[in-house]
Amino acid sequence: MEHVPPPAEELARLDRELAELDARRAQLLTRRAWLLAALRPPAPTAAPGWNPSAWGAPAAGRAGAPAQPWGYVPPKQPSAPRSAQNVLLTLGGLLLTVAAVAFTLVSWGSMGIGGRSAVLAAVTVAALAAPAVLLRRGLTATAEALAALALVLTLLDAYAVHAVAAPDTDGLGFTAVAAAGLAALWTAYGLALGKLHLPLPAAVVLAQWPLLFGAWAAGAPALVVGWALLATAVLDGAIALWGKGTGVRVTACVGGSVMAFSALMVGLTLSVTASGPLGALAPGALLLTAAAAALAGAWRAPRGFARAGGVVAGLAVVAAVGGVPAAAVPEDWAVLAYLSAGLALTAVVRTRLPRNAAIGVLVASAAVVAGALAGALPGLAAVLLGPVTLLSDVWAGSPEGFRAGLGSTLPWTGLAAAPVVLAVSAGLLGAAYRWWPSLARIAAPLIAREEPGSGGGPAGAPGAGTPEAGGAAVPGAGGEPGAGTAGTVGMPAPGASGAEAPGAPGATAPGASGAPHGTGAPWYAGGRAGTPWYAGGASAARRRPSGAALRGAAGAGAAVLGWGALLLAGAVLDVPYAVAVAEETVLVAGLLALAVRRAGNGRDPSAAVPVTALVVALAGAVSAGLLSLASEGASYAVFGALVALFAGAAVRAGAGVERAVFAVAATVGGTVLTGFAGRSLGLAPHEASPLILLVPALTVLFGARLRRNPVALPVELTGALGALVAVALAVPDAPFLALVLALCGVLAAGAAVRPERRPVAAYLAAALFVLATWVRLAASEVSFPEAYTLPVTVPALVVGFLRRRKDPEASSWTAYGPGLAATLLPSLAVAWTDPDWQRPLLLGVSALVITLLGARYRLQALLLLGGAVLALDGLHELAPYVVQVAGALPRWLPPALAGLLLLVVGATYEQRLRDARRLKDALGRMR
């Protein structure tokens, strides 16, 4: 019986459903409006202060705005009237300019002096006066075009005056005076007509030439030309800082950069080529003045320009100060003068320079040090890689000196200062590592210094100088960088989570516009106090390296540079060969001691020092080993010492990657020593291959002793690589190859005794034994391998049968695979070269029986081995007939049959896939 609710209850239900329908309709209408707004092509430009959220749709690229569909091409917009007007005005101004140039160059001589003056005065005055009238009428673009024409006319007037009124004056001098006059004229004109954009940048361009052309016209020396360039650059810097308009400042920046670079190049060239310290003083003064000008500009410039100014100032100071002593010492030692000046720049951390300018100076110091170190790299590379040439003539005899063993043609006398550079740098980095807390306290004023604009926002803004404002904390002094003020940039204020309203994707609740900290600013306004969204903030502070990481990098650099300094010093001094070999070995020992001590020192918060020491020790060991190949005694001594050192380091090191690396290196050294022993005994490479297996045998015993220790597996794998080397050496001689394979099988069987190695080592041992048997039979030229393989196959199959009776779940590959392969595969190899028919027939019948037994008892090994041997045997027997038939068929028939086969397979592709899956499943269910 149907239940009819009372009228009041039914009315309430209807009201609720109608309210839900209204809400759903409003939701769908909002969604429709949003989609329409998203599909409209974006406007070409946005008015200043335009807020996308005010139009009810998120801006393109913001959360909630859909991406354009793939391949979407926006419709072409018609040319704006103002754009077409600009094109027309540009073309008109260009045509008038061409006409004026043609008139000046061609028609000038056909007029008298009065006509010339009248034409020049009328045209120039008209061109200069017209923009003022046009600006009052609001025709700005037309005024700009005529102003450009007036600029060209003034240049032509200057040329005409020189050609008529002063033809005998010097061209450069007249150009300098004309450029100065025109620059002043256009500056006044641009200031008078402030709405024009072209006159002031044109005046800046003209102002670049008066001093330069004046000095050039006067025949001034290069130093005076440099001062002229520097004065022009200073003028450009002042214009860039206090000029009116973006175009003026950009033009001044470009011009100042070019002029400053030219002035610095002049000063640097004169300083480097000075004949003595006194001759380097004058260029030094030019460079120091340029540095002072750069720092003065950096004091007021924005962040990027301030740092660039600091870099330029630092490099100029190094060139000026270092150039004086560099001129007094031999050329090979001049690098020390510049290095000392570059290191002295680090004192900037205690000055009152702005933070960004000081950082630029420090970057310049680091660049000078890096350049000095780069000069030492060729010599260090020759020391490390030069001994590779000894591989072609091992044990040829000890060379006379260190350089003779390197085989390098470098001018070693020119690298006399390179070890000193490396040693000084290593000492400074080592001191920084040792006294890092003191260094952090010294650098604290620089890192914590606050300056206008350094935080990405205005001075005095909330959070300025803190990590939110791009500030920095002192690394290593008081915790991680950025510690102190928790950054919260980009975190919404409570209640302003920006939860989406129903049906309005991306729309936020009223008052929750997503502005950082609830300031009410639009999303593109950034963080606090208008900080842009791309400012680093707290995340940037977290990305800065910690004090521990910086200290570890300093320690690692000290270790590397100190090691390189000692190596390079031996090559520069050309110490005796024995001393060089002993020196490299002792350095390896020291690096290993450092790696082991630091790796076991829990107080060291950074792993950079031990890891670097380990890597450098390995490189040094390789270099020392290669260098020792010149002498038999040195080879034994060096590799014996290296094995002992790495083994001792493995014992002393804590459990981890370091111990495994040490153990692997010791194993490699032991393998090399066994090879040396074979060479000393006068054995051929294949005869020495069994001797090399001593180290793999020791690694198997070592692995059995360590068992599941993490070091065991790397050591055993290294021993296996040594066994591969032994196999490769024995390849030229088949009997020795069979012996080595059998010995490797014994080692694999010994490793298979351990349960954790059995799954791999057992199969490997069986394969090696079988392969050794085949190689031995082939070496003995046995024509009936079955006489040797059947006595092995029958007992193996019996053992496998008993294993399967005891454990029916045992794999057929384990039970029957080795026994069957021992006979079938050698017989198949012989059958392919047997011209008679009896062996292939017997092999085919046996393979067929084995295949049928595998199918009957569902044994995977029998089915696959028997089937593969049967197929290959049948292919061998049918191959001659197939070749004859193929030769008798037309040439178009095989491609046609192949195409037909592909069509059939394609037509029944899904069925074939199902058949393949069923076959795979059936094989997988077999044992």
Side-chain angles (χ1 to χ4, degrees):
M1 184 174 181
E2 185 178 357
H3 171 71
V4 179
E9 181 181 349
E10 186 176 1
L11 180 61
R13 183 182 301 175
L14 290 176
D15 289 340
R16 285 197 300 270
E17 291 180 357
L18 288 174
E20 291 177 359
L21 289 175
D22 291 339
R24 179 58 178 168
R25 184 175 185 275
Q27 185 179 7
L28 293 176
L29 288 175
T30 304
R31 177 68 176 178
R32 180 179 181 276
W34 180 83
L35 291 173
L36 289 174
L39 291 176
R40 291 194 191 101
T45 57
W50 178 73
N51 187 359
S53 61
W55 294 89
R62 297 297 299 162
Q68 295 289 1
W70 186 262
Y72 171 77
V73 179
K76 295 184 178 180
Q77 299 293 331
S79 299
R82 187 167 297 276
S83 301
Q85 178 188 19
N86 292 334
V87 172
L88 295 176
L89 291 173
T90 302
L91 291 176
L94 181 61
L95 292 175
L96 287 175
T97 302
V98 172
V101 171
F103 170 78
T104 303
L105 297 178
V106 178
S107 302
W108 183 263
S110 62
M111 300 180 65
I113 187 64
R116 300 174 187 178
S117 302
V119 170
L120 280 175
V123 175
T124 305
V125 170
L128 291 174
V133 179
L134 294 174
L135 287 176
R136 285 197 297 268
R137 295 180 176 272
L139 301 176
T140 306
T142 308
E144 290 283 0
L146 289 180
L149 176 62
L151 172 62
V152 177
L153 286 176
T154 54
L155 296 176
L156 294 175
D157 290 344
Y159 167 76
V161 169
H162 178 264
V164 176
D168 298 330
T169 57
D170 180 61
L172 290 175
F174 184 85
T175 303
V177 174
L182 291 176
L185 171 64
W186 279 94
T187 301
Y189 188 73
L191 293 175
L193 302 178
K195 294 184 179 181
L196 293 179
H197 298 87
L198 182 62
L200 289 179
V204 173
V205 174
L206 291 171
Q208 309 300 310
W209 311 112
L211 293 178
L212 176 60
F213 285 165
W216 196 354
L223 185 61
V224 176
V225 175
W227 282 106
L229 292 169
L230 180 58
T232 306
V234 171
L235 175 61
D236 288 330
I239 296 173
L241 289 175
W242 295 292
K244 178 183 177 182
T246 304
V248 175
R249 294 187 176 188
V250 171
T251 306
C253 284
V254 175
S257 301
V258 174
M259 292 297 172
F261 178 78
S262 303
L264 291 173
M265 288 298 101
V266 171
L268 180 62
T269 303
L270 294 176
S271 177
V272 172
T273 58
S275 58
L278 294 178
L281 289 176
L286 173 63
L287 293 170
L288 287 177
T289 306
L295 287 179
W299 203 284
R300 294 178 175 272
R303 176 178 178 178
F305 290 98
R307 292 191 178 184
V311 173
V312 172
L315 294 177
V317 169
V318 170
V321 177
V324 176
V329 298
E331 183 180 355
D332 300 336
W333 294 90
V335 63
L336 293 179
Y338 294 107
L339 178 62
S340 303
L343 294 174
L345 292 179
T346 55
V348 75
V349 297
R350 305 300 293 179
T351 63
R352 301 290 299 173
L353 275 179
R355 180 173 182 267
N356 288 317
I359 290 176
V361 174
L362 292 178
V363 170
S365 175
V368 171
V369 176
L373 294 176
L377 287 181
L380 189 58
V383 172
L384 293 177
L385 303 178
V388 175
T389 57
L390 296 175
L391 289 174
S392 60
D393 197 6
V394 179
W395 295 355
S398 301
E400 296 180 358
F402 193 3
R403 298 179 192 172
L406 299 179
S408 175
T409 58
L410 280 177
W412 293 103
T413 55
L415 297 174
V420 182
V421 171
L422 294 174
V424 170
S425 304
L428 292 175
L429 288 176
Y433 178 78
R434 174 64 179 82
W435 292 287
W436 183 262
S438 300
L439 181 63
R441 285 194 297 270
I442 293 173
L446 171 65
I447 300 176
R449 190 176 304 159
E450 180 183 343
E451 63 178 357
S454 64
T466 64
E468 299 98 304
V474 182
E480 295 297 316
T485 304
T488 57
V489 171
M491 297 295 293
S497 61
E500 295 180 0
T508 57
S513 61
H517 304 284
T519 59
W523 60 268
Y524 50 81
R528 294 183 178 181
T531 302
W533 62 269
Y534 49 81
S539 60
R542 287 192 296 269
R543 288 194 298 269
R544 297 189 186 102
S546 64
L550 293 174
R551 183 180 185 182
V560 174
L561 295 178
W563 168 72
L566 293 175
L567 281 183
L568 196 54
V572 171
L573 297 175
D574 197 18
V575 298
Y577 173 75
V579 175
V581 172
E583 177 195 15
E584 292 203 15
T585 307
V586 170
L587 287 177
V588 173
L591 290 169
L592 288 177
L594 178 62
V596 172
R597 185 173 69 87
R598 289 295 178 184
N601 185 4
R603 295 176 299 173
D604 190 3
S606 174
V609 175
V611 170
T612 304
L614 173 58
V615 173
V616 176
L618 293 175
V622 173
S623 178
L626 292 174
L627 186 62
S628 68
L629 295 179
S631 170
E632 181 177 1
S635 299
Y636 280 107
V638 169
F639 278 94
L642 291 178
V643 170
L645 289 172
F646 279 105
V651 173
R652 292 294 302 274
V657 178
E658 294 85 358
R659 170 174 285 185
V661 173
F662 292 144
V664 167
T667 305
V668 173
T671 304
V672 175
L673 280 176
T674 57
F676 287 163
R679 185 180 178 89
S680 298
L681 294 174
L683 301 177
H686 65 274
E687 295 173 340
S689 56
L691 190 62
I692 295 179
L693 292 177
L694 288 176
V695 173
L698 292 176
T699 59
V700 172
L701 297 176
F702 185 72
R705 175 70 176 83
L706 294 179
R707 290 195 175 272
R708 298 188 181 275
N709 192 294
V711 179
L713 181 60
V715 171
E716 290 182 85
L717 291 177
T718 308
L721 291 177
L724 285 178
V725 173
V727 171
L729 292 175
V731 166
D733 189 273
F736 269 95
L737 178 59
L739 174 62
V740 170
L741 289 173
L743 292 176
C744 291
V746 171
L747 297 178
V753 175
R754 295 155 51 197
E756 66 273 12
R757 299 285 184 262
R758 188 171 300 157
V760 176
Y763 288 106
L764 180 61
L768 289 172
F769 282 133
V770 172
L771 187 59
T773 303
W774 294 345
V775 173
R776 181 68 255 186
L777 293 177
S780 301
E781 298 181 355
V782 175
S783 57
F784 294 96
E786 293 81 6
Y788 300 91
T789 58
L790 284 176
V792 176
T793 296
V794 173
L797 293 178
V798 172
V799 172
F801 177 74
L802 296 177
R803 169 75 185 279
R804 287 275 301 170
R805 286 187 59 184
K806 183 178 179 181
D807 182 14
E809 297 299 323
S811 172
S812 62
W813 289 101
T814 305
Y816 303 119
L820 291 175
T823 295
L824 290 178
L825 297 181
S827 299
L828 179 63
V830 176
W832 270 63
T833 58
D834 193 349
D836 296 330
W837 57 271
Q838 294 88 352
R839 184 188 300 276
L841 177 61
L842 294 175
L843 179 62
V845 171
S846 302
L848 177 60
V849 171
I850 293 171
T851 303
L852 294 176
L853 289 175
R856 171 65 179 81
Y857 294 101
R858 306 182 64 80
L859 298 176
Q860 191 179 93
L862 276 67
L863 179 63
L864 294 183
L865 276 176
V869 172
L870 180 61
L872 292 175
D873 185 61
L875 178 63
H876 173 263
E877 295 303 310
L878 294 176
Y881 304 104
V882 172
V883 171
Q884 293 178 4
V885 171
L889 293 175
R891 293 190 176 183
W892 56 266
L893 188 58
L897 293 176
L900 181 61
L901 177 63
L902 292 177
L903 289 176
V904 172
V905 172
T908 60
Y909 180 71
E910 296 296 334
Q911 180 63 34
R912 301 287 79 77
L913 281 181
R914 289 192 292 270
D915 294 342
R917 293 192 188 99
R918 283 197 295 269
L919 178 60
K920 178 183 176 181
D921 295 339
L923 289 176
R925 288 191 296 269
M926 292 183 176
R927 300 301 303 170

